[in-house]
Structure formats: C-alpha cells, structure tokens
C-alpha cells in the first residue's frame, strides 16, 4: 500500500504543478498559494481530489479568453479562404507562417495550439475537397488521401512561426 | 470592470466561514472544509473576493521546516460589511415596488 500512497502523492503533485502553471500567467500569487496548500496537504486525506480541484480552479479562473478564441477563429478563417482561393505555392507557407507568428505574438501561452491549428488548415481544406468532392473551380485534379496527409507538413513551420511570435511577444513586453 | 453580482450560495458559504472568526487568518483547506467547498470552487471565489477588495491575503511562515510559506485569508473591512449586508438582505422582510415592507 506504501507504493500506492507514493503514487497518489506523486500524481497529486503533478496535477498541482499543472494547475499552478495554468494559473501562473494571470494570477501568479494564487498559483503559488495553491502549490503551497498542496504541499501542506501531502499526507492529508483527499489530497488527490484537492489537486484535481486545483486544476478545475485554474481552468475556472482563467476560462474563456474570448479575444484569443476570436483571433484564432479569424486566423483559421483567413487561412481557409486563402487556401480555397489560391493554389499551393511558397506563398502558402508564407501565409501559414505570418498568421502563426501573429497568433503566437498575441497569445504566447497558446502558441502550440495556434501553430497546430493554422498549420493543419491546408490539410483540412484538402481533406474536405477529397471527402466531399466540392472543390474550387481552379482545382483540376483530385487529392489522394496520401497527398492530403502530406500537407500536414505545414504544421511544424506554423508551430515554429508561432513560437517565434511568442518570443517576440516577450521581447516586446520586456 | 468588476460586476457587483448577487453572491452565489457557495460565495455566501465562504463568507459565512470567514465571518465566523473575522480577525483570524485562515488557510484554504480549513476554509474549504468549513464552507463545504471543493478546491475547484474555493479558489476562483477567493480570487474574485480578493480582486474586489473583500479579502485580505498574506503569506505565513510554515509551521513545519522545509515546507513552503502558506497563503492565509481573512475578510477585509469592506468584505465584512459586504458579508453583513448579504446577511441583512437575507433576514430583512420582502420589499414592495415602491420600497415599503410587505410584511
């Protein structure tokens, strides 16, 4: 049973750390307060449920950043429109990188989500074309599934651009 | 801007727990137990009360060496009057549209 106790303590600790990381950007003092309380309760009954609660608290206290969700939706929409109206070229990579960079700069904490979302747009649009047969007028050929999957290669540059945007945000904000 | 909303049942429970010993600094775990709240509910309320100036918070040295300092809470003066005003709203008789007591 000693092993189970150690495992639950370790798990509670990991969950507490995750909760604190989530909360840290907006409420650093409260993130530290939750961690301190967690450390104090290591041997108390219910320390694991306390840790889960802390994670819920971190979500509740930072929930729904509508401005970011709006920016992400606008970025995905812009990329979708671009992809629908233009054929793939080097400019597509540039568009992915520029939008990824802007989103990374706008919301540094969510740079990974921004990069993946923007980078996956081209593959998603092509998958839509393949599955539904609805295609833009200029498109003369059908994409195969392998070709659709190949377009997910745009995800890494988008994540990279978003990470650069994140770095830029911190540089600009000192 | 912080909205001045009606307090939820959970907020009232927490305010009652804090109000019971207004001069005493309390830990999060004690408060959660006394108010019957989970940590997931407790902390967002504490943060909100603190942002509205109803809660004082400070760090205390740990009772056991090697542990981190602990965050403790108590109602501020404004928080105490807010809690009292909520209590009065609960016990005062219902009021008609023009402000006269109905009972």
């Amino acid at each position: 049973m000693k092993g189970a106790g150690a495992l639950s303590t370790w798990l509670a600790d990991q969950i507490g750390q995750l909760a604190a990381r989530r909360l840290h950007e907006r409420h650093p003092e409260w993130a530290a307060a939750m961690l301190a309380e967690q450390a104090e309760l290591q041997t108390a009954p219910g320390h694991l449920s306390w840790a889960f609660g802390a994670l819920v608290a971190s979500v509740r206290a930072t929930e729904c950043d509508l401005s970011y969700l709006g920016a992400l939706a606008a970025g995905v929409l812009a990329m979708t429109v671009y992809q629908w109206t233009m054929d793939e070229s080097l400019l597509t990579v540039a568009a992915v990188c520029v939008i990824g960079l802007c989103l990374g700069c706008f919301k540094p904490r969510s740079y990974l989500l921004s990069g993946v979302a923007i980078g996956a747009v081209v593959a998603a649009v092509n998958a839509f074309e393949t599955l539904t047969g609805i295609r833009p007028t200029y498109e003369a050929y059908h994409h195969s599934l392998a070709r659709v999957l190949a377009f997910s290669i745009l995800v890494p540059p988008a994540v990279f651009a978003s990470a650069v945007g994140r770095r830029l945000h911190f540089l600009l904000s000192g | 801007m912080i909205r001045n909303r009606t307090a939820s049942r959970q907020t009232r429970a927490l305010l009652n727990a804090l109000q019971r010993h207004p001069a005493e600094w309390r830990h999060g775990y004690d408060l959660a137990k006394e108010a019957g709240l989970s940590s997931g509910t407790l902390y967002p309320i504490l943060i909100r009360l603190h942002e509205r100036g109803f809660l004082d918070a400070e760090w205390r040295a740990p009772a056991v060496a090697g542990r981190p300092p602990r965050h403790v809470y108590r109602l501020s003066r404004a928080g105490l009057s807010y809690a009292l005003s909520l209590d009065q709203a609960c016990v005062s008789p219902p009021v008609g549209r023009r402000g006269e007591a109905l009972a």
Side-chain angles (χ1 to χ4, degrees):
Chain A
M1 284 329 295
K2 206 172 176 183
L7 178 67
S8 90
T9 304
W10 177 83
L11 191 60
D13 193 41
Q14 297 303 309
I15 296 167
Q17 297 275 355
L18 178 65
R21 270 202 301 275
R22 272 196 61 88
L23 195 60
H24 186 266
E25 190 182 317
R26 243 187 234 187
H27 304 287
E29 191 183 355
W30 291 95
M34 284 201 319
L35 270 185
E37 204 66 13
Q38 180 82 32
E40 201 66 38
L41 300 178
Q42 267 178 1
T43 52
H47 65 282
L48 193 57
S49 64
W50 181 269
F52 273 115
L55 187 60
V56 172
S58 72
V59 173
R60 282 184 176 165
T62 57
E63 70 187 329
C64 235
D65 190 343
L66 289 177
S67 57
Y68 169 66
L69 289 181
L72 184 63
V76 168
L77 184 67
M79 197 59 226
T80 305
V81 170
Y82 176 87
Q83 174 59 22
W84 194 260
T85 51
M86 310 284 267
D87 208 352
E88 291 92 19
S89 67
L90 272 180
L91 272 178
T92 307
V93 183
V96 161
C97 289
V98 167
I99 297 174
L101 185 114
C102 291
L103 285 170
C105 195
F106 182 74
K107 179 81 172 176
R109 195 161 61 94
S110 305
Y111 83 97
L112 199 58
L113 173 65
S114 305
V116 171
I118 295 303
V121 167
V122 175
V125 170
N126 287 339
F128 175 80
E129 289 175 30
T130 306
L131 294 173
T132 63
I134 303 169
R135 297 180 300 145
T137 45
Y138 68 82
E139 207 61 283
Y141 53 88
H142 284 285
H143 290 297
S144 65
L145 192 61
R147 190 173 154 79
V148 166
L149 288 175
F151 280 113
S152 58
I153 196 145
L154 287 170
V155 171
V159 171
F160 178 74
S162 194
V164 171
R166 175 178 184 248
R167 183 85 189 129
L168 203 61
H169 172 96
F170 291 129
L171 282 176
L172 293 175
S173 60
Chain B
M1 199 176 83
I2 296 161
R3 288 176 294 170
N4 203 10
R5 293 183 295 194
T6 314
S8 66
R9 188 173 51 80
Q10 291 87 345
T11 304
R12 281 166 192 263
L14 180 60
L15 286 170
N16 281 339
L18 285 161
Q19 205 182 349
R20 228 160 271 151
H21 312 280
E24 209 174 289
W25 290 96
R26 313 281 305 275
H27 302 135
Y29 186 60
D30 294 340
L31 284 171
K33 273 201 301 186
E34 190 171 333
L37 301 174
S38 71
S39 52
T41 308
L42 175 78
Y43 280 102
I45 298 175
L46 285 175
I47 292 172
R48 226 165 29 237
L49 290 175
H50 189 251
E51 281 176 348
R52 293 170 75 178
F54 294 156
L55 192 76
D56 289 332
E58 66 172 43
W59 291 96
R60 282 288 164 87
V64 180
R67 296 256 170 91
R70 218 167 168 187
H71 215 214
V72 289
Y73 319 100
R74 73 177 183 194
L75 283 177
S76 66
R77 196 180 289 268
L80 202 53
S81 15
Y82 176 60
L84 287 171
S85 73
L86 285 177
D87 284 350
Q88 280 170 357
C90 279
V91 296
S92 59
V95 174
R97 262 192 217 167
R98 292 182 185 174
E100 66 272 48
L102 296 175

